[in-house]
Amino acid sequence: MKKLFLETLGCAMNSRDSEHLVAELNKNEPYNLTNNLEDADLIIINTCSVREKPVAKLFSEIGVFKKRKKNGAKIGVCGCTASHLGDEIIKRAPVVDFVLGARNVSKINLVLEKRHSVEVDIDFDESEYDFGEYRNNPLKSMVNISIGCDKQCTYCIVPATRGEEISIPSHLIVNEITKAVNTGAKEIMLLGQNVNNYGRRFNSDEQCSFTELLQKISKIDNLERIRFASPHPLHMDDQFLEEFASNPKICKQIHVPLQSGSSKVLKEMKRGYTQENFLNRCKKIRELVPEVTISTDIIVGFPTESDEDFLESMKVLEEVRFDQLFSFKYSPRPHTEAIDFENKVTPELAGQRLTILQKRHTEILDEIMELQLGKEEFVYFDELKTGNRISGRSGGGRLVYVDGSEELLGQIKKVKITKISRASLDGELI
Ligand code: SAH
Ligand code: SF4
Ligand code: F3S
């Protein structure tokens, strides 16, 4: 059997695209995945372009592939960087055999046929395409509910790499989840750049909001847990939050991406909400679901961000006390408005702000984790570890390890937390 070396960078959407790539390849000819570059007949890198660093990394990695690949092995560049650089990739690195954009995954067998093929059409619509079946871990399945993004956040390249937002018809989503449940998934993760904007645009005359979609999905027998990423604070209406709170199948974990705590910067970013709106939504979530875990994304050093603006982000961090923080230094990206903004923040200052933000969040996190000791959680075990250990997630999404083996895989069990660390918890079955 042919061997595939597949490296996936970026977000959950790219991880799902990588599964689709494998499934599509297998429709034509079965491939075994390998971690060994030298063994591979096909090397694919599924790229991310959200910040500058991974792009520079791409060309150095292609250099490594070129040196180490076996004779005749093909190299493909897929994903978001492929979408926006297109044939430039082949001009800079002719060793690359094909370039396939983030919205052209279904064309993988086509580009394999002809050397130097480039398929990066961001208007291409895969929202109703029937991808083959392949999952890295059938116990927890990712399911796309929309493609693309219609927001124009001024820092973000994603709309230029994934094109306009189209919702996948709800019956296709329900079918896919039913299949996943029948092959062992008790938990699913709904994916989209703006999940709670679901229903904005269909190819048909279907009408279905995200709240309605959640209601439809929860009727699927034997599906026990629903997660989703990423929702947008702007679309967190009361109806959605009430569904989130009252639907027992929805895990009480929510990502509420802040980006900046300063209403002035949020306006420059075109996020569509103010600090006040954001805090109001988080307050409402905590009122409705006291045990909820809230995660967020924050960018520091966006052009025009003053010391006072940065302190507003710190203020929101203090008020919401996020359970998880993903924080980034602003990175100027092509095809975005902010690349031309004046009053840039120096990388040194942005670095200092990032350190302050992360240090304070670590202190908050230590306090939050301290409170987990002795708690009882329902954990869905989805991964075997070495040394007779097994891990899973609590409803709030925390990683929990216990002693145990295969027979626990795919089971939801009550666990008492006996040990804490910043990134995970240890527990005992009770
Ligand atoms: N659709 C998601 C975000 C996808 S991109 C949302 O709206 O939340 C993931 C994260 O990368 C963003 O939330 C943002 O915090 C970060 N990001 C995007 N563009 C960036 C840039 N130019 N510089 C630094 N961080 C960026
Ligand atoms: Fe990017 Fe904004 Fe769309 Fe998220 S909502 S993908 S940050 S443009
Ligand atoms: Fe995801 Fe990176 Fe593309 S975050 S959408 S893979 S630019």
Side-chain angles (χ1 to χ4, degrees), residues 16 19 134-143 180-181 183-190 223 225 227 380-383 385 391-393 399 409-410:
R16 183 63 182 140
E19 292 180 341
Y134 175 81
R135 296 194 177 275
N136 284 325
N137 183 348
L139 297 178
K140 45 174 184 182
S141 297
M142 295 177 281
V143 177
V181 169
T183 53
K186 285 199 170 80
E187 176 176 310
I188 51 124
M189 168 74 113
L190 306 175
L223 173 67
R225 288 183 160 195
R227 298 186 198 273
Y380 176 45
F381 290 102
D382 55 29
E383 234 176 283
K385 302 284 171 183
S391 73
R393 298 270 166 189
L399 184 61
L409 266 185

PDB file of all heavy atoms in Angstrom, residues 16 19 134-143 180-181 183-190 223 225 227 380-383 385 391-393 399 409-410:
ATOM      1  N   ARG A  16      -9.966  18.815  10.166  1.00  0.00           N
ATOM      2  CA  ARG A  16     -11.056  18.119   9.473  1.00  0.00           C
ATOM      3  C   ARG A  16     -10.751  18.016   7.972  1.00  0.00           C
ATOM      4  O   ARG A  16     -10.988  16.984   7.357  1.00  0.00           O
ATOM      5  CB  ARG A  16     -12.386  18.842   9.714  1.00  0.00           C
ATOM      6  CG  ARG A  16     -13.587  18.157   9.086  1.00  0.00           C
ATOM      7  CD  ARG A  16     -13.844  16.767   9.663  1.00  0.00           C
ATOM      8  NE  ARG A  16     -14.964  16.070   9.047  1.00  0.00           N
ATOM      9  CZ  ARG A  16     -14.969  14.762   8.748  1.00  0.00           C
ATOM     10  NH1 ARG A  16     -13.911  14.009   8.996  1.00  0.00           N
ATOM     11  NH2 ARG A  16     -16.020  14.205   8.212  1.00  0.00           N
ATOM     12  N   GLU A  19      -8.576  15.133   7.347  1.00  0.00           N
ATOM     13  CA  GLU A  19      -9.314  13.859   7.320  1.00  0.00           C
ATOM     14  C   GLU A  19     -10.000  13.693   5.967  1.00  0.00           C
ATOM     15  O   GLU A  19     -10.009  12.602   5.388  1.00  0.00           O
ATOM     16  CB  GLU A  19     -10.353  13.814   8.446  1.00  0.00           C
ATOM     17  CG  GLU A  19      -9.731  13.747   9.830  1.00  0.00           C
ATOM     18  CD  GLU A  19     -10.760  13.691  10.959  1.00  0.00           C
ATOM     19  OE1 GLU A  19     -11.944  14.052  10.749  1.00  0.00           O
ATOM     20  OE2 GLU A  19     -10.375  13.296  12.071  1.00  0.00           O
ATOM     21  N   TYR A 134     -13.354   9.179   6.772  1.00  0.00           N
ATOM     22  CA  TYR A 134     -12.110   8.880   7.469  1.00  0.00           C
ATOM     23  C   TYR A 134     -12.052   9.737   8.722  1.00  0.00           C
ATOM     24  O   TYR A 134     -12.311  10.939   8.657  1.00  0.00           O
ATOM     25  CB  TYR A 134     -10.871   9.155   6.599  1.00  0.00           C
ATOM     26  CG  TYR A 134      -9.594   8.949   7.373  1.00  0.00           C
ATOM     27  CD1 TYR A 134      -9.062   7.675   7.556  1.00  0.00           C
ATOM     28  CD2 TYR A 134      -8.955  10.025   7.994  1.00  0.00           C
ATOM     29  CE1 TYR A 134      -7.927   7.477   8.316  1.00  0.00           C
ATOM     30  CE2 TYR A 134      -7.815   9.831   8.761  1.00  0.00           C
ATOM     31  CZ  TYR A 134      -7.303   8.560   8.918  1.00  0.00           C
ATOM     32  OH  TYR A 134      -6.191   8.373   9.687  1.00  0.00           O
ATOM     33  N   ARG A 135     -11.703   9.140   9.846  1.00  0.00           N
ATOM     34  CA  ARG A 135     -11.571   9.918  11.080  1.00  0.00           C
ATOM     35  C   ARG A 135     -10.341   9.471  11.854  1.00  0.00           C
ATOM     36  O   ARG A 135     -10.103   8.281  12.009  1.00  0.00           O
ATOM     37  CB  ARG A 135     -12.803   9.740  11.957  1.00  0.00           C
ATOM     38  CG  ARG A 135     -14.040  10.293  11.291  1.00  0.00           C
ATOM     39  CD  ARG A 135     -15.192  10.454  12.236  1.00  0.00           C
ATOM     40  NE  ARG A 135     -16.317  11.051  11.524  1.00  0.00           N
ATOM     41  CZ  ARG A 135     -16.485  12.341  11.343  1.00  0.00           C
ATOM     42  NH1 ARG A 135     -15.606  13.201  11.815  1.00  0.00           N
ATOM     43  NH2 ARG A 135     -17.521  12.802  10.668  1.00  0.00           N
ATOM     44  N   ASN A 136      -9.565  10.447  12.333  1.00  0.00           N
ATOM     45  CA  ASN A 136      -8.397  10.121  13.159  1.00  0.00           C
ATOM     46  C   ASN A 136      -8.820   9.406  14.423  1.00  0.00           C
ATOM     47  O   ASN A 136      -8.178   8.473  14.860  1.00  0.00           O
ATOM     48  CB  ASN A 136      -7.657  11.402  13.570  1.00  0.00           C
ATOM     49  CG  ASN A 136      -6.851  11.943  12.425  1.00  0.00           C
ATOM     50  OD1 ASN A 136      -6.311  11.188  11.615  1.00  0.00           O
ATOM     51  ND2 ASN A 136      -6.790  13.262  12.326  1.00  0.00           N
ATOM     52  N   ASN A 137      -9.886   9.880  15.027  1.00  0.00           N
ATOM     53  CA  ASN A 137     -10.380   9.257  16.252  1.00  0.00           C
ATOM     54  C   ASN A 137     -11.898   9.177  16.168  1.00  0.00           C
ATOM     55  O   ASN A 137     -12.594  10.162  16.423  1.00  0.00           O
ATOM     56  CB  ASN A 137      -9.939  10.072  17.470  1.00  0.00           C
ATOM     57  CG  ASN A 137     -10.373   9.400  18.768  1.00  0.00           C
ATOM     58  OD1 ASN A 137     -11.185   8.458  18.755  1.00  0.00           O
ATOM     59  ND2 ASN A 137      -9.840   9.867  19.879  1.00  0.00           N
ATOM     60  N   PRO A 138     -12.425   7.996  15.799  1.00  0.00           N
ATOM     61  CA  PRO A 138     -13.872   7.872  15.592  1.00  0.00           C
ATOM     62  C   PRO A 138     -14.693   8.138  16.858  1.00  0.00           C
ATOM     63  O   PRO A 138     -15.902   8.324  16.763  1.00  0.00           O
ATOM     64  CB  PRO A 138     -14.060   6.417  15.140  1.00  0.00           C
ATOM     65  CG  PRO A 138     -12.709   5.928  14.786  1.00  0.00           C
ATOM     66  CD  PRO A 138     -11.715   6.738  15.555  1.00  0.00           C
ATOM     67  N   LEU A 139     -14.037   8.177  18.021  1.00  0.00           N
ATOM     68  CA  LEU A 139     -14.803   8.405  19.256  1.00  0.00           C
ATOM     69  C   LEU A 139     -15.261   9.853  19.388  1.00  0.00           C
ATOM     70  O   LEU A 139     -16.260  10.157  20.034  1.00  0.00           O
ATOM     71  CB  LEU A 139     -13.973   8.037  20.484  1.00  0.00           C
ATOM     72  CG  LEU A 139     -13.557   6.569  20.584  1.00  0.00           C
ATOM     73  CD1 LEU A 139     -12.703   6.349  21.817  1.00  0.00           C
ATOM     74  CD2 LEU A 139     -14.789   5.665  20.628  1.00  0.00           C
ATOM     75  N   LYS A 140     -14.484  10.771  18.820  1.00  0.00           N
ATOM     76  CA  LYS A 140     -14.903  12.183  18.864  1.00  0.00           C
ATOM     77  C   LYS A 140     -14.771  12.744  17.455  1.00  0.00           C
ATOM     78  O   LYS A 140     -13.676  12.882  16.935  1.00  0.00           O
ATOM     79  CB  LYS A 140     -14.112  12.999  19.884  1.00  0.00           C
ATOM     80  CG  LYS A 140     -12.632  12.752  19.844  1.00  0.00           C
ATOM     81  CD  LYS A 140     -11.870  13.660  20.763  1.00  0.00           C
ATOM     82  CE  LYS A 140     -10.382  13.402  20.593  1.00  0.00           C
ATOM     83  NZ  LYS A 140      -9.515  14.168  21.445  1.00  0.00           N
ATOM     84  N   SER A 141     -15.907  13.039  16.881  1.00  0.00           N
ATOM     85  CA  SER A 141     -15.908  13.377  15.461  1.00  0.00           C
ATOM     86  C   SER A 141     -16.121  14.863  15.234  1.00  0.00           C
ATOM     87  O   SER A 141     -17.006  15.461  15.827  1.00  0.00           O
ATOM     88  CB  SER A 141     -17.030  12.615  14.770  1.00  0.00           C
ATOM     89  OG  SER A 141     -16.785  11.239  14.879  1.00  0.00           O
ATOM     90  N   MET A 142     -15.294  15.409  14.350  1.00  0.00           N
ATOM     91  CA  MET A 142     -15.505  16.802  13.941  1.00  0.00           C
ATOM     92  C   MET A 142     -16.471  16.813  12.757  1.00  0.00           C
ATOM     93  O   MET A 142     -16.361  15.969  11.870  1.00  0.00           O
ATOM     94  CB  MET A 142     -14.179  17.413  13.488  1.00  0.00           C
ATOM     95  CG  MET A 142     -13.151  17.519  14.587  1.00  0.00           C
ATOM     96  SD  MET A 142     -11.581  18.160  13.966  1.00  0.00           S
ATOM     97  CE  MET A 142     -10.868  16.713  13.210  1.00  0.00           C
ATOM     98  N   VAL A 143     -17.394  17.759  12.755  1.00  0.00           N
ATOM     99  CA  VAL A 143     -18.384  17.843  11.673  1.00  0.00           C
ATOM    100  C   VAL A 143     -18.505  19.305  11.228  1.00  0.00           C
ATOM    101  O   VAL A 143     -18.862  20.177  12.039  1.00  0.00           O
ATOM    102  CB  VAL A 143     -19.765  17.326  12.166  1.00  0.00           C
ATOM    103  CG1 VAL A 143     -20.813  17.477  11.085  1.00  0.00           C
ATOM    104  CG2 VAL A 143     -19.667  15.868  12.600  1.00  0.00           C
ATOM    105  N   ALA A 180     -21.485   9.078  12.222  1.00  0.00           N
ATOM    106  CA  ALA A 180     -20.379   9.122  13.193  1.00  0.00           C
ATOM    107  C   ALA A 180     -20.782   8.417  14.486  1.00  0.00           C
ATOM    108  O   ALA A 180     -19.990   7.673  15.073  1.00  0.00           O
ATOM    109  CB  ALA A 180     -19.983  10.573  13.475  1.00  0.00           C
ATOM    110  N   VAL A 181     -22.020   8.632  14.910  1.00  0.00           N
ATOM    111  CA  VAL A 181     -22.497   7.996  16.145  1.00  0.00           C
ATOM    112  C   VAL A 181     -22.553   6.485  15.960  1.00  0.00           C
ATOM    113  O   VAL A 181     -22.165   5.718  16.845  1.00  0.00           O
ATOM    114  CB  VAL A 181     -23.875   8.585  16.550  1.00  0.00           C
ATOM    115  CG1 VAL A 181     -24.515   7.770  17.666  1.00  0.00           C
ATOM    116  CG2 VAL A 181     -23.724  10.043  16.977  1.00  0.00           C
ATOM    117  N   THR A 183     -20.617   4.753  14.251  1.00  0.00           N
ATOM    118  CA  THR A 183     -19.276   4.157  14.267  1.00  0.00           C
ATOM    119  C   THR A 183     -18.528   4.509  15.559  1.00  0.00           C
ATOM    120  O   THR A 183     -17.302   4.509  15.593  1.00  0.00           O
ATOM    121  CB  THR A 183     -18.454   4.574  13.028  1.00  0.00           C
ATOM    122  OG1 THR A 183     -18.477   6.008  12.935  1.00  0.00           O
ATOM    123  CG2 THR A 183     -18.988   3.975  11.752  1.00  0.00           C
ATOM    124  N   GLY A 184     -19.272   4.858  16.586  1.00  0.00           N
ATOM    125  CA  GLY A 184     -18.642   4.942  17.911  1.00  0.00           C
ATOM    126  C   GLY A 184     -18.568   6.307  18.573  1.00  0.00           C
ATOM    127  O   GLY A 184     -18.139   6.396  19.723  1.00  0.00           O
ATOM    128  N   ALA A 185     -18.939   7.380  17.855  1.00  0.00           N
ATOM    129  CA  ALA A 185     -18.783   8.702  18.479  1.00  0.00           C
ATOM    130  C   ALA A 185     -19.925   8.986  19.451  1.00  0.00           C
ATOM    131  O   ALA A 185     -21.088   8.959  19.071  1.00  0.00           O
ATOM    132  CB  ALA A 185     -18.754   9.786  17.407  1.00  0.00           C
ATOM    133  N   LYS A 186     -19.563   9.272  20.704  1.00  0.00           N
ATOM    134  CA  LYS A 186     -20.582   9.763  21.634  1.00  0.00           C
ATOM    135  C   LYS A 186     -20.557  11.290  21.644  1.00  0.00           C
ATOM    136  O   LYS A 186     -21.460  11.933  22.137  1.00  0.00           O
ATOM    137  CB  LYS A 186     -20.288   9.257  23.046  1.00  0.00           C
ATOM    138  CG  LYS A 186     -20.609   7.784  23.259  1.00  0.00           C
ATOM    139  CD  LYS A 186     -20.747   7.501  24.756  1.00  0.00           C
ATOM    140  CE  LYS A 186     -21.289   6.126  25.024  1.00  0.00           C
ATOM    141  NZ  LYS A 186     -20.274   5.078  24.921  1.00  0.00           N
ATOM    142  N   GLU A 187     -19.427  11.833  21.134  1.00  0.00           N
ATOM    143  CA  GLU A 187     -19.257  13.289  21.182  1.00  0.00           C
ATOM    144  C   GLU A 187     -18.944  13.810  19.785  1.00  0.00           C
ATOM    145  O   GLU A 187     -18.185  13.185  19.051  1.00  0.00           O
ATOM    146  CB  GLU A 187     -18.085  13.602  22.126  1.00  0.00           C
ATOM    147  CG  GLU A 187     -17.741  15.061  22.207  1.00  0.00           C
ATOM    148  CD  GLU A 187     -16.647  15.354  23.227  1.00  0.00           C
ATOM    149  OE1 GLU A 187     -16.753  14.886  24.382  1.00  0.00           O
ATOM    150  OE2 GLU A 187     -15.686  16.045  22.859  1.00  0.00           O
ATOM    151  N   ILE A 188     -19.515  14.959  19.463  1.00  0.00           N
ATOM    152  CA  ILE A 188     -19.159  15.580  18.191  1.00  0.00           C
ATOM    153  C   ILE A 188     -18.809  17.049  18.415  1.00  0.00           C
ATOM    154  O   ILE A 188     -19.265  17.682  19.368  1.00  0.00           O
ATOM    155  CB  ILE A 188     -20.297  15.487  17.139  1.00  0.00           C
ATOM    156  CG1 ILE A 188     -21.605  15.991  17.736  1.00  0.00           C
ATOM    157  CG2 ILE A 188     -20.462  14.087  16.590  1.00  0.00           C
ATOM    158  CD1 ILE A 188     -22.202  17.063  16.956  1.00  0.00           C
ATOM    159  N   MET A 189     -17.984  17.537  17.508  1.00  0.00           N
ATOM    160  CA  MET A 189     -17.564  18.941  17.558  1.00  0.00           C
ATOM    161  C   MET A 189     -18.008  19.595  16.264  1.00  0.00           C
ATOM    162  O   MET A 189     -17.543  19.217  15.179  1.00  0.00           O
ATOM    163  CB  MET A 189     -16.040  18.965  17.688  1.00  0.00           C
ATOM    164  CG  MET A 189     -15.410  20.298  17.470  1.00  0.00           C
ATOM    165  SD  MET A 189     -15.692  21.365  18.856  1.00  0.00           S
ATOM    166  CE  MET A 189     -14.056  21.507  19.472  1.00  0.00           C
ATOM    167  N   LEU A 190     -18.941  20.543  16.371  1.00  0.00           N
ATOM    168  CA  LEU A 190     -19.412  21.251  15.171  1.00  0.00           C
ATOM    169  C   LEU A 190     -18.405  22.332  14.817  1.00  0.00           C
ATOM    170  O   LEU A 190     -17.984  23.097  15.685  1.00  0.00           O
ATOM    171  CB  LEU A 190     -20.775  21.879  15.451  1.00  0.00           C
ATOM    172  CG  LEU A 190     -21.856  20.940  15.971  1.00  0.00           C
ATOM    173  CD1 LEU A 190     -23.115  21.720  16.330  1.00  0.00           C
ATOM    174  CD2 LEU A 190     -22.177  19.878  14.916  1.00  0.00           C
ATOM    175  N   LEU A 223     -26.213  10.004  20.678  1.00  0.00           N
ATOM    176  CA  LEU A 223     -25.255  11.109  20.710  1.00  0.00           C
ATOM    177  C   LEU A 223     -25.393  11.731  22.096  1.00  0.00           C
ATOM    178  O   LEU A 223     -26.489  12.088  22.521  1.00  0.00           O
ATOM    179  CB  LEU A 223     -25.580  12.160  19.633  1.00  0.00           C
ATOM    180  CG  LEU A 223     -24.727  13.426  19.722  1.00  0.00           C
ATOM    181  CD1 LEU A 223     -23.264  13.121  19.404  1.00  0.00           C
ATOM    182  CD2 LEU A 223     -25.231  14.500  18.761  1.00  0.00           C
ATOM    183  N   ARG A 225     -22.830  14.066  23.576  1.00  0.00           N
ATOM    184  CA  ARG A 225     -22.177  15.345  23.847  1.00  0.00           C
ATOM    185  C   ARG A 225     -21.999  16.163  22.568  1.00  0.00           C
ATOM    186  O   ARG A 225     -21.510  15.641  21.564  1.00  0.00           O
ATOM    187  CB  ARG A 225     -20.791  15.108  24.444  1.00  0.00           C
ATOM    188  CG  ARG A 225     -20.829  14.604  25.858  1.00  0.00           C
ATOM    189  CD  ARG A 225     -19.413  14.469  26.370  1.00  0.00           C
ATOM    190  NE  ARG A 225     -19.395  14.448  27.814  1.00  0.00           N
ATOM    191  CZ  ARG A 225     -18.308  14.618  28.554  1.00  0.00           C
ATOM    192  NH1 ARG A 225     -17.143  14.822  27.979  1.00  0.00           N
ATOM    193  NH2 ARG A 225     -18.370  14.589  29.861  1.00  0.00           N
ATOM    194  N   ARG A 227     -20.209  19.703  21.139  1.00  0.00           N
ATOM    195  CA  ARG A 227     -19.375  20.898  21.328  1.00  0.00           C
ATOM    196  C   ARG A 227     -19.373  21.666  20.022  1.00  0.00           C
ATOM    197  O   ARG A 227     -19.739  21.124  18.976  1.00  0.00           O
ATOM    198  CB  ARG A 227     -17.928  20.527  21.680  1.00  0.00           C
ATOM    199  CG  ARG A 227     -17.772  19.770  22.977  1.00  0.00           C
ATOM    200  CD  ARG A 227     -16.289  19.568  23.320  1.00  0.00           C
ATOM    201  NE  ARG A 227     -16.112  18.520  24.281  1.00  0.00           N
ATOM    202  CZ  ARG A 227     -16.165  18.672  25.611  1.00  0.00           C
ATOM    203  NH1 ARG A 227     -16.386  19.875  26.129  1.00  0.00           N
ATOM    204  NH2 ARG A 227     -15.993  17.651  26.421  1.00  0.00           N
ATOM    205  N   TYR A 380     -15.443  11.715  29.391  1.00  0.00           N
ATOM    206  CA  TYR A 380     -15.592  10.840  28.217  1.00  0.00           C
ATOM    207  C   TYR A 380     -14.193  10.410  27.788  1.00  0.00           C
ATOM    208  O   TYR A 380     -13.399  11.240  27.338  1.00  0.00           O
ATOM    209  CB  TYR A 380     -16.286  11.630  27.096  1.00  0.00           C
ATOM    210  CG  TYR A 380     -16.430  10.870  25.785  1.00  0.00           C
ATOM    211  CD1 TYR A 380     -16.860   9.557  25.746  1.00  0.00           C
ATOM    212  CD2 TYR A 380     -16.143  11.504  24.573  1.00  0.00           C
ATOM    213  CE1 TYR A 380     -17.000   8.873  24.550  1.00  0.00           C
ATOM    214  CE2 TYR A 380     -16.287  10.833  23.368  1.00  0.00           C
ATOM    215  CZ  TYR A 380     -16.709   9.516  23.363  1.00  0.00           C
ATOM    216  OH  TYR A 380     -16.854   8.852  22.180  1.00  0.00           O
ATOM    217  N   PHE A 381     -13.887   9.129  27.959  1.00  0.00           N
ATOM    218  CA  PHE A 381     -12.529   8.652  27.689  1.00  0.00           C
ATOM    219  C   PHE A 381     -12.336   8.384  26.202  1.00  0.00           C
ATOM    220  O   PHE A 381     -13.055   7.579  25.612  1.00  0.00           O
ATOM    221  CB  PHE A 381     -12.232   7.396  28.510  1.00  0.00           C
ATOM    222  CG  PHE A 381     -12.118   7.711  29.966  1.00  0.00           C
ATOM    223  CD1 PHE A 381     -13.171   7.440  30.827  1.00  0.00           C
ATOM    224  CD2 PHE A 381     -10.993   8.344  30.456  1.00  0.00           C
ATOM    225  CE1 PHE A 381     -13.076   7.778  32.178  1.00  0.00           C
ATOM    226  CE2 PHE A 381     -10.896   8.692  31.802  1.00  0.00           C
ATOM    227  CZ  PHE A 381     -11.946   8.401  32.650  1.00  0.00           C
ATOM    228  N   ASP A 382     -11.366   9.095  25.610  1.00  0.00           N
ATOM    229  CA  ASP A 382     -11.224   8.979  24.162  1.00  0.00           C
ATOM    230  C   ASP A 382      -9.803   8.689  23.698  1.00  0.00           C
ATOM    231  O   ASP A 382      -9.558   8.554  22.512  1.00  0.00           O
ATOM    232  CB  ASP A 382     -11.753  10.244  23.473  1.00  0.00           C
ATOM    233  CG  ASP A 382     -11.091  11.500  23.994  1.00  0.00           C
ATOM    234  OD1 ASP A 382      -9.942  11.436  24.431  1.00  0.00           O
ATOM    235  OD2 ASP A 382     -11.753  12.559  23.971  1.00  0.00           O
ATOM    236  N   GLU A 383      -8.837   8.583  24.617  1.00  0.00           N
ATOM    237  CA  GLU A 383      -7.463   8.349  24.155  1.00  0.00           C
ATOM    238  C   GLU A 383      -6.668   7.478  25.118  1.00  0.00           C
ATOM    239  O   GLU A 383      -6.569   7.810  26.309  1.00  0.00           O
ATOM    240  CB  GLU A 383      -6.749   9.687  23.983  1.00  0.00           C
ATOM    241  CG  GLU A 383      -6.163   9.845  22.595  1.00  0.00           C
ATOM    242  CD  GLU A 383      -5.531  11.212  22.397  1.00  0.00           C
ATOM    243  OE1 GLU A 383      -6.288  12.177  22.205  1.00  0.00           O
ATOM    244  OE2 GLU A 383      -4.295  11.284  22.457  1.00  0.00           O
ATOM    245  N   LYS A 385      -3.271   6.135  26.683  1.00  0.00           N
ATOM    246  CA  LYS A 385      -1.924   6.682  26.874  1.00  0.00           C
ATOM    247  C   LYS A 385      -1.004   5.529  27.272  1.00  0.00           C
ATOM    248  O   LYS A 385      -1.474   4.427  27.562  1.00  0.00           O
ATOM    249  CB  LYS A 385      -1.940   7.741  27.986  1.00  0.00           C
ATOM    250  CG  LYS A 385      -2.887   8.887  27.706  1.00  0.00           C
ATOM    251  CD  LYS A 385      -2.299   9.818  26.673  1.00  0.00           C
ATOM    252  CE  LYS A 385      -3.316  10.844  26.223  1.00  0.00           C
ATOM    253  NZ  LYS A 385      -2.869  11.732  25.195  1.00  0.00           N
ATOM    254  N   SER A 391      -6.987   8.965  28.873  1.00  0.00           N
ATOM    255  CA  SER A 391      -7.410  10.355  29.097  1.00  0.00           C
ATOM    256  C   SER A 391      -8.737  10.631  28.420  1.00  0.00           C
ATOM    257  O   SER A 391      -9.166   9.915  27.502  1.00  0.00           O
ATOM    258  CB  SER A 391      -6.351  11.321  28.574  1.00  0.00           C
ATOM    259  OG  SER A 391      -6.368  11.322  27.165  1.00  0.00           O
ATOM    260  N   GLY A 392      -9.370  11.668  28.899  1.00  0.00           N
ATOM    261  CA  GLY A 392     -10.641  12.092  28.312  1.00  0.00           C
ATOM    262  C   GLY A 392     -10.924  13.534  28.707  1.00  0.00           C
ATOM    263  O   GLY A 392     -10.074  14.202  29.297  1.00  0.00           O
ATOM    264  N   ARG A 393     -12.111  13.988  28.349  1.00  0.00           N
ATOM    265  CA  ARG A 393     -12.481  15.382  28.654  1.00  0.00           C
ATOM    266  C   ARG A 393     -13.669  15.415  29.602  1.00  0.00           C
ATOM    267  O   ARG A 393     -14.609  14.625  29.458  1.00  0.00           O
ATOM    268  CB  ARG A 393     -12.875  16.109  27.366  1.00  0.00           C
ATOM    269  CG  ARG A 393     -11.780  16.197  26.345  1.00  0.00           C
ATOM    270  CD  ARG A 393     -10.950  17.447  26.511  1.00  0.00           C
ATOM    271  NE  ARG A 393      -9.722  17.340  25.732  1.00  0.00           N
ATOM    272  CZ  ARG A 393      -8.722  18.214  25.811  1.00  0.00           C
ATOM    273  NH1 ARG A 393      -8.795  19.243  26.625  1.00  0.00           N
ATOM    274  NH2 ARG A 393      -7.638  18.062  25.096  1.00  0.00           N
ATOM    275  N   LEU A 399      -8.878  18.358  30.349  1.00  0.00           N
ATOM    276  CA  LEU A 399      -8.228  17.075  30.086  1.00  0.00           C
ATOM    277  C   LEU A 399      -8.029  16.349  31.407  1.00  0.00           C
ATOM    278  O   LEU A 399      -7.448  16.910  32.340  1.00  0.00           O
ATOM    279  CB  LEU A 399      -6.875  17.366  29.406  1.00  0.00           C
ATOM    280  CG  LEU A 399      -6.038  16.197  28.949  1.00  0.00           C
ATOM    281  CD1 LEU A 399      -6.782  15.364  27.912  1.00  0.00           C
ATOM    282  CD2 LEU A 399      -4.720  16.710  28.353  1.00  0.00           C
ATOM    283  N   LEU A 409     -12.295   3.013  26.961  1.00  0.00           N
ATOM    284  CA  LEU A 409     -12.394   3.836  25.744  1.00  0.00           C
ATOM    285  C   LEU A 409     -13.840   3.958  25.277  1.00  0.00           C
ATOM    286  O   LEU A 409     -14.551   2.961  25.188  1.00  0.00           O
ATOM    287  CB  LEU A 409     -11.586   3.216  24.615  1.00  0.00           C
ATOM    288  CG  LEU A 409     -10.154   3.694  24.395  1.00  0.00           C
ATOM    289  CD1 LEU A 409      -9.584   3.034  23.148  1.00  0.00           C
ATOM    290  CD2 LEU A 409     -10.055   5.208  24.292  1.00  0.00           C
ATOM    291  N   GLY A 410     -14.255   5.178  24.983  1.00  0.00           N
ATOM    292  CA  GLY A 410     -15.615   5.388  24.480  1.00  0.00           C
ATOM    293  C   GLY A 410     -16.666   5.418  25.580  1.00  0.00           C
ATOM    294  O   GLY A 410     -17.853   5.482  25.300  1.00  0.00           O
TER     295      GLY A 410
END
